[in-house]
């Protein structure tokens, strides 16, 4: 055992400020201290353990990026520790570098067979230890990113299914009501809801398709000189039923002769997505403010609503395809669709920029989405 003045869990720092967490497992505290001295200059979060059981307990509590593992330990040897790490789905991605006085080829092979990523014989070369640690931690971080990406894709798929299913379920429900209904006015009302539900589903599919095309640089803009004032005014008129449904009023401020060179169809969908988002998260019976202007040939459009303030940590993520999935994973609620992700890519394709300010520019709460296009 280590003396009272020797800590087997030393040089511990905030994991977010370190280059990764390294767990050193050896029943000899002198080996732990030596490895810590070698690695200390490289800003790792270093933790020591003097038994296999202690090491496994630490791994369950800490986010470990690499294990440096001795083989010859009492009670639980290194082979069994490595088996336990690799046999747990929550820890199997942690690389294990075996450092042992056993130097026979069969020892090396056996360590690899139980899942170790590397083997160093004692006495070890300090520079080789550092290179091994740096390489394996890079592998661990890349593995973590890959796992996260697959999880995000899985969550995104579920989100897409959910967002497509809702309007289609609504359409099917009102189709069934229309079949049984004899009142022509009600049938017309049902048909308008069916039309809007199907349009929502088609718009979602179109956003998803165009995001893929934009990501693969296969999306071509068809720009023309357009009256921006008239375009936005027409979109507001077309979306009036949505605004009225939530008791919302709109105020649009712009020069009626405002013109700019844009792709009109893409611009229309950007505005529709921003208006839909603004209406969805606005307080009932509140106001949506819209401003459009040009300065130094830069078109600026901003849309503000009154509602909840978006926390700072969510503000960049809402425009990312996977970002909204991450927000939901974090317990946030700022939208589950891909509309704003499309907006960001479409604005960028116009050599522009889009961002969010919260609280809103005009209100004490709510959100302002602003985009600028050259």
């Amino acid at each position: 055992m280590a003396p009272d003045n020797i800590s087997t869990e030393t040089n511990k720092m905030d994991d977010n400020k370190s280059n990764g967490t390294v767990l050193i497992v050896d029943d000899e505290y002198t080996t732990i201290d030596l490895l810590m001295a070698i690695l200390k200059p490289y800003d790792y979060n270093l933790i020591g353990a003097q038994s296999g059981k202690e090491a496994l307990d630490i791994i369950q509590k800490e986010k470990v990026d690499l294990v440096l593992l001795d083989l010859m330990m009492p009670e639980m040897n290194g082979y069994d520790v490595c088996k336990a790490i690799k046999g747990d789905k929550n820890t199997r991605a942690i690389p294990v570098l075996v450092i042992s006085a056993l130097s026979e080829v069969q020892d090396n092979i056996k360590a690899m067979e139980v899942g170790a990523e590397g083997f160093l014989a004692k006495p070890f070369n300090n520079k080789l230890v550092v290179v091994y640690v740096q390489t394996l931690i890079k592998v661990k971080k890349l593995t973590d990113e890959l796992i996260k990406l697959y999880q995000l894709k899985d969550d995104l798929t579920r989100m897409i299914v959910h967002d497509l299913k809702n309007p289609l379920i609504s359409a099917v429900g009102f189709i069934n009501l229309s079949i049984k209904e004899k009142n022509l006015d009600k049938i017309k009302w049902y048909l308008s809801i069916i039309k809007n539900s199907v349009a929502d589903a088609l718009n979602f599919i179109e956003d998803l398709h165009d995001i893929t095309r934009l990501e693969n640089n296969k999306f071509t803009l068809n720009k023309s000189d357009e009256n921006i004032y008239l375009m936005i005014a027409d979109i507001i008129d077309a979306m009036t039923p949505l605004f009225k449904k939530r008791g919302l009023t709109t105020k649009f401020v712009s020069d009626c002769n405002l013109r700019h060179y844009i792709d009109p169809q893409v611009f229309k969908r950007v505005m529709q997505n921003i208006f839909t988002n603004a209406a969805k998260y606005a307080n009932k019976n509140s106001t949506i403010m819209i401003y459009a202007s040009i300065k130094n040939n830069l078109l600026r459009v901003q849309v503000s609503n009154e509602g909840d303030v978006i926390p700072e940590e969510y503000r960049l993520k809402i425009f990312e395809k996977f970002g909204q999935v991450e927000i939901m994973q974090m317990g946030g609620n700022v939208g589950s669709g891909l509309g704003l992700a499309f907006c960001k890519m479409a604005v960028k394709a116009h050599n522009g920029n889009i961002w969010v300010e919260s609280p809103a520019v005009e209100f004490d709460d709510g959100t302002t989405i602003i985009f600028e296009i050259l």
Side-chain angles (χ1 to χ4, degrees), residues 260-262 267 297-299 347 350-352 371-374:
H260 202 65
Y261 200 62
I262 58 164
F267 182 84
N297 203 36
L298 188 69
L299 171 64
V347 169
H350 279 84
N351 296 317
F371 70 86
E372 294 178 337
I373 292 176
L374 283 171

Side-chain angles (χ1 to χ4, degrees), residues 318-335:
I318 66 173
F319 295 108
E320 304 297 335
K321 185 170 70 171
F322 292 135
Q324 296 187 29
V325 177
E326 291 182 278
I327 290 172
M328 288 188 290
Q329 291 174 341
M330 295 163 65
N333 180 31
V334 292

Side-chain angles (χ1 to χ4, degrees), residues 11 36 66 94 111 124 128 156 161 178 207 222 226 229 276 281 308 317 320 341 360 364 366 374:
N11 198 38
M36 284 187 173
L66 173 64
I94 301 173
F124 40 77
L128 191 56
L156 181 64
V161 171
S178 300
D207 281 345
N222 297 306
E226 300 290 338
Y229 172 85
T276 299
Y281 296 101
D308 292 337
K317 292 182 180 293
E320 304 297 335
D364 294 329
L374 283 171

Side-chain angles (χ1 to χ4, degrees), residues 24-272:
I24 304 169
V25 188
D26 198 303
D27 59 322
E28 295 290 337
Y29 67 86
T30 52
T31 302
I32 293 176
D33 283 355
L34 176 58
L35 287 167
M36 284 187 173
I38 293 170
L39 296 174
K40 185 176 181 180
Y42 299 93
D43 293 327
Y44 293 114
N45 180 25
L46 303 172
I47 305 175
Q50 286 190 266
S51 71
K53 184 179 183 304
E54 184 185 1
L56 294 177
D57 288 342
I58 290 171
I59 287 173
Q60 294 300 323
K61 297 173 184 176
E62 303 283 344
K63 183 183 179 297
V64 175
D65 295 300
L66 173 64
V67 177
L68 302 185
L69 180 64
D70 183 33
L71 289 179
M72 300 304 292
M73 294 185 294
E75 298 180 12
M76 188 177 193
N77 64 40
Y79 298 118
D80 292 335
V81 174
C82 191
K83 279 183 184 178
I85 292 171
K86 298 302 180 178
D88 186 334
K89 66 178 181 179
N90 296 317
T91 61
R92 65 178 55 149
I94 301 173
V96 176
L97 174 60
V98 168
I99 297 180
S100 177
L102 298 175
S103 57
E104 296 297 327
V105 173
Q106 58 265 32
D107 300 317
N108 193 331
I109 293 173
K110 186 175 179 181
M112 299 297 183
E113 286 176 342
V114 295
E117 277 75 15
F119 186 100
L120 280 176
K122 296 180 183 178
F124 40 77
N125 179 284
N126 293 4
K127 289 185 179 179
L128 191 56
V129 170
V130 172
V131 171
Y132 248 126
V133 169
Q134 291 174 334
T135 302
L136 290 176
I137 284 188
K138 285 179 183 177
V139 170
K140 173 61 164 53
K141 291 185 181 297
L142 289 172
T143 302
D144 287 346
E145 287 298 316
L146 188 60
I147 292 171
K148 182 180 178 182
L149 181 60
Y150 275 116
Q151 182 62 51
L152 286 172
K153 284 187 174 181
D154 189 45
D155 290 344
L156 181 64
T157 300
R158 286 197 292 268
M159 185 186 80
I160 290 170
V161 171
H162 174 271
D163 284 1
L164 271 176
K165 185 170 69 173
N166 281 350
L168 294 177
I169 287 175
S170 174
V172 170
F174 281 99
I175 287 172
N176 291 332
L177 288 174
S178 300
I179 293 171
K180 300 174 184 177
E181 185 58 60
K182 295 181 180 180
N183 185 301
L184 287 178
D185 289 334
K186 282 190 176 182
I187 291 175
K188 289 180 180 178
W189 180 55
Y190 291 157
L191 289 175
S192 69
I193 295 175
I194 293 167
K195 179 183 176 182
N196 291 335
S197 296
V198 173
D200 287 343
L202 290 174
N203 287 337
F204 185 88
I205 293 170
E206 196 168 5
D207 281 345
L208 185 61
H209 177 62
D210 286 343
I211 284 173
T212 302
R213 291 170 62 202
L214 283 161
E215 287 178 328
N216 295 323
N217 296 317
K218 294 181 179 179
F219 191 93
T220 303
L221 295 177
N222 297 306
K223 291 184 177 182
S224 56
D225 183 29
E226 300 290 338
N227 187 310
I228 302 299
Y229 172 85
L230 289 178
M231 285 193 68
I232 294 178
D234 287 345
I235 296 167
I236 292 172
D237 286 344
M239 298 186 72
T240 296
L242 172 65
F243 297 139
K244 283 187 174 180
K245 185 178 179 180
R246 293 187 56 82
L248 302 173
T249 57
T250 58
K251 183 178 179 182
F252 178 33
V253 179
S254 178
D255 180 351
C256 63
N257 295 313
L258 186 71
R259 304 187 71 86
H260 202 65
Y261 200 62
I262 58 164
D263 183 316
Q265 293 303 316
V266 173
F267 182 84
K268 179 181 177 181
R269 285 175 54 205
V270 168
M271 293 306 306
Q272 287 173 334

Side-chain angles (χ1 to χ4, degrees), residues 270-271 273-274 301-303 315-316 318-320 339-349 351-357 368-373:
V270 168
M271 293 306 306
N273 281 321
I274 292 175
V301 179
Q302 65 184 57
V303 179
R315 292 174 197 168
L316 290 177
I318 66 173
F319 295 108
E320 304 297 335
L340 293 182
F342 168 78
C343 290
K344 178 184 177 180
M345 293 183 180
V347 169
K348 186 177 180 181
N351 296 317
N353 190 26
I354 187 169
W355 69 95
V356 62
E357 295 186 11
T368 300
I369 291 180
I370 304 168
F371 70 86
E372 294 178 337
I373 292 176

